[in-house]
Amino acid sequence: MNMVKSFRVSDLQTLLASMGRSKSGLKHDLVGRALRLVQTEYSPELLKNVRQLYESRFPKASGWLAARRPEGVPVAYSSLSSSPTGTQGADYLNGIPKLSSTPAAEVKLVSLPFYQTLETLLPPTELIAQNSEKLQDSQCIFELTQSQADQVRNSTELRPGMKAIQVVLRICYTDSIGVQEDQYPPNIAVKVNQSYCHVPGYYPSNKPGVEPRRPCRPVNITPWLHLSTATNRATVTWGNFGKRYSVAVYLVRVFTSAELFSQLKHCSVESAERCRERIQDKLRFDPENEIATTGLRVSLICPLVKMRIGVPCRVLTCAHLQCFDAIYFLQMNEKKPTWTCPVCDKQAPFELLTIDGLASEILKETHEDIEEIEYLTDGSWRPIRDEKERERERSNTPDYPVVDICVPEANGHSPAHSSTSQTGKSGAGSTAGGTGGGVVVDLTLDSEEEEEEEGGGARGDSDDTEDSQDSPAPKRGRYDYDKDLVTAY
């Protein structure tokens, strides 16, 4: 229990995860959980994990065990060291000698869809800090056989400077137990045969206040290798800030997104009948549920690129029926590997992807204008566009005749355009029949002019000549043209 109390947060999380317990929470929560675990489950496996974490935390505390090494037991040295003279003695666990590379040798790196491991050139080996400096240099040595060198040299090029067969360097955590993902240490730099090689940089962040994230993927060191049986030396510069890291070197075959899509198309296609059964299971009536679902709407637009889906794809472990485009999904993960479902944000590994056979048939049978469908309880489907059109027809306003306010003028000017009513009758017909029924509106008159015009019509010709001479000239409209020439469209 004293050992557990001295653990760091990462050590406590490792211990709890190895025993199947939750590793979330603050440090005092983790310590209490770990102490209760020690009190309730006093098992050899738990003791082994506690000792291993404690000895990695305080390596000097187990130095007294070196005096108890049985005679004749050889001491193995790691192939990873910072200097030719730097060696690591054998550690002991429960009185049994343990190789210095054993913790790293137990690390298993996660398999990557775009990389197929052909051979292991250097197994996972822990990066050992040789002093208290924050920046450490660790060197690993490996060799290629003549067959491996020829395999790399004669491989095809995926693009200029990138071969299909590569030698890659992978780095991961060694703190936790289980399958590890690639994880770079701080201040990483990789130098192969005295030449620095390219390490993927950071992704730019578009959100304010969010730090850019670095993609952790295998580092291609092929261009800097001796493609012969000569010895290759790789030096990893890393920041020593309390985390433990392991490095490994593999000979791999690199796939493109097109090759992965070909594998998916030939090996993982769910039949249309199986998809219908899945739909019927989802829509089956549940007597315990008060609300019955009669249909499920599914969009035919890919949530990734907002375009019509070409090859519908789903994740077998996801509960939804919504698909996304398989080609775009693989291309995006080739550039930026996240492997998460674009619909529900759950993990979407390549091994669990499948092509939806029913959705493929629907995309072939429907027009490109249809963007949404609905699955019914019997496994059938219907497009949503027809229903929208019926709703639009039901919501149409009643027909009203359109009044034609334009008639052909008698002054020789061109007649106004006549509008057609919704009843199918053209205004041109009424125009041809004469001026009856048409109304001419003078848009240049204001209210004062209308009053004067009405007053003038009432007086008629009763005004004498003097009044007509003394009265001012009649006002014209706002615009400098005749009133009778104005046409309303």
Side-chain angles (χ1 to χ4, degrees):
M1 294 180 68
N2 291 332
M3 291 180 181
V4 172
K5 291 179 182 179
S6 66
F7 284 171
R8 298 167 297 180
V9 173
S10 59
D11 299 327
L12 294 170
Q13 291 176 341
T14 300
L15 178 63
L16 293 172
S18 63
M19 301 304 295
R21 297 295 190 273
S22 174
K23 59 180 182 179
S24 60
L26 300 177
K27 183 174 181 179
H28 66 272
D29 298 330
L30 298 176
V31 171
R33 201 177 302 153
L35 291 176
R36 289 192 298 270
L37 180 64
V38 173
Q39 292 173 352
T40 57
E41 294 189 14
Y42 194 78
S43 61
E45 181 183 1
L46 176 61
L47 292 179
K48 177 181 177 181
N49 293 335
V50 171
R51 277 185 187 275
Q52 183 176 347
L53 290 171
Y54 184 78
E55 291 175 1
S56 64
R57 179 77 173 88
F58 303 100
K60 295 181 181 180
S62 60
W64 62 275
L65 293 174
R68 299 178 56 187
R69 183 189 311 123
E71 296 182 0
V73 177
V75 179
Y77 297 92
S78 172
S79 60
L80 182 65
S81 60
S82 295
S83 62
T85 59
T87 57
Q88 299 294 325
D91 294 332
Y92 279 74
L93 185 62
N94 294 334
I96 302 175
K98 180 182 65 173
L99 301 181
S100 59
S101 60
T102 301
E106 295 176 356
V107 173
K108 294 182 179 179
L109 283 158
V110 65
S111 60
L112 302 176
F114 289 100
Y115 297 87
Q116 178 189 2
T117 302
L118 302 179
E119 294 185 49
T120 301
L121 304 179
L122 178 69
T125 311
E126 186 174 355
L127 297 172
I128 303 297
Q130 300 301 312
N131 48 49
S132 59
E133 297 293 333
K134 295 300 182 183
L135 205 60
Q136 300 285 331
D137 285 337
S138 299
Q139 187 181 80
C140 54
I141 301 173
F142 62 94
E143 297 177 355
L144 296 175
T145 64
Q146 189 61 44
S147 174
Q148 294 169 348
D150 294 340
Q151 195 174 0
V152 174
R153 188 184 299 106
N154 300 328
S155 63
T156 59
E157 287 191 351
L158 301 177
R159 57 176 180 266
M162 182 177 178
K163 291 183 174 294
I165 306 296
Q166 298 178 2
V167 176
V168 297
L169 182 142
R170 300 181 65 180
I171 303 177
C172 66
Y173 284 139
T174 55
D175 284 342
S176 20
I177 300 173
V179 179
Q180 299 298 311
E181 297 181 352
D182 292 72
Q183 185 64 49
Y184 294 158
N187 309 112
I188 183 177
V190 179
K191 186 165 61 174
V192 179
N193 295 327
Q194 305 303 318
S195 299
Y196 283 99
C197 61
H198 173 71
V199 178
Y202 289 90
Y203 288 136
S205 177
N206 298 326
K207 299 180 180 179
V210 178
E211 295 184 359
R213 190 173 59 87
R214 190 170 198 166
C216 298
R217 60 177 65 187
V219 180
N220 180 20
I221 62 175
T222 310
W224 297 274
L225 292 179
H226 300 307
L227 295 181
S228 62
T229 56
T231 301
N232 292 283
R233 299 177 182 272
T235 303
V236 180
T237 302
W238 55 287
N240 181 22
F241 295 97
K243 293 286 187 180
R244 298 168 56 196
Y245 296 91
S246 294
V247 63
V249 181
Y250 298 98
L251 181 69
V252 299
R253 162 75 188 277
V254 181
F255 294 109
T256 62
S257 59
E259 291 174 328
L260 281 189
F261 173 69
S262 179
Q263 295 180 20
L264 182 67
K265 188 170 57 175
H266 288 91
C267 303
S268 183
V269 179
E270 193 171 22
S271 64
E273 292 299 327
R274 179 67 187 92
C275 295
R276 290 189 182 93
E277 293 176 2
R278 187 189 298 270
I279 296 170
Q280 292 173 0
D281 292 341
K282 272 189 165 297
L283 298 178
R284 183 176 289 112
F285 175 72
D286 187 1
E288 298 181 358
N289 193 354
E290 297 180 357
I291 301 175
T293 305
T294 59
L296 286 173
R297 291 193 174 187
V298 174
S299 176
L300 300 181
I301 303 299
C302 177
L304 286 172
V305 292
K306 308 303 180 185
M307 296 171 58
R308 186 178 172 88
I309 298 175
V311 182
C313 182
R314 288 187 297 101
V315 185
L316 290 175
T317 54
C318 291
H320 55 80
L321 298 175
Q322 177 64 49
C323 297
F324 50 88
D325 194 285
I327 297 177
Y328 287 116
F329 181 75
L330 293 176
Q331 289 176 352
M332 294 179 70
N333 279 281
E334 185 179 19
K335 300 291 184 182
K336 182 180 178 180
T338 58
W339 297 105
T340 56
C341 176
V343 180
C344 62
D345 291 332
K346 293 183 179 179
Q347 290 296 316
F350 177 75
E351 296 79 12
L352 296 179
L353 297 181
T354 183
I355 296 177
D356 194 310
L358 179 59
S360 300
E361 294 181 358
I362 294 173
L363 288 167
K364 292 178 182 179
E365 296 176 6
T366 55
H367 193 267
E368 292 185 357
D369 295 339
I370 298 178
E371 298 181 353
E372 194 176 15
I373 63 166
E374 182 180 10
Y375 288 126
L376 304 178
T377 54
D378 58 352
S380 60
W381 60 275
R382 63 176 179 178
I384 303 298
R385 189 187 65 173
D386 295 340
E387 182 178 346
K388 290 183 178 180
E389 289 181 354
R390 288 195 297 268
E391 292 178 358
R392 193 181 301 113
E393 292 175 359
R394 288 195 298 267
S395 63
N396 282 341
T397 56
D399 295 341
Y400 291 102
V402 179
V403 179
D404 188 359
I405 62 175
C406 304
V407 293
E409 301 296 331
N411 54 11
H413 293 282
S414 60
H417 294 284
S418 59
S419 57
T420 306
S421 65
Q422 294 182 4
T423 57
K425 297 182 180 180
S426 173
S430 61
T431 303
T435 60
V439 180
V440 177
V441 178
D442 190 350
L443 302 179
T444 64
L445 289 178
D446 52 16
S447 59
E448 295 179 359
E449 293 173 350
E450 291 178 358
E451 293 176 359
E452 291 178 1
E453 186 176 349
E454 292 176 357
R459 290 192 299 268
D461 297 335
S462 62
D463 296 338
D464 52 5
T465 307
E466 293 180 1
D467 295 335
S468 62
Q469 292 178 354
D470 295 338
S471 61
K475 294 182 179 180
R476 299 179 65 86
R478 292 192 185 93
Y479 306 100
D480 192 15
Y481 46 77
D482 293 337
K483 296 182 291 182
D484 296 337
L485 298 181
V486 177
T487 303
Y489 289 90

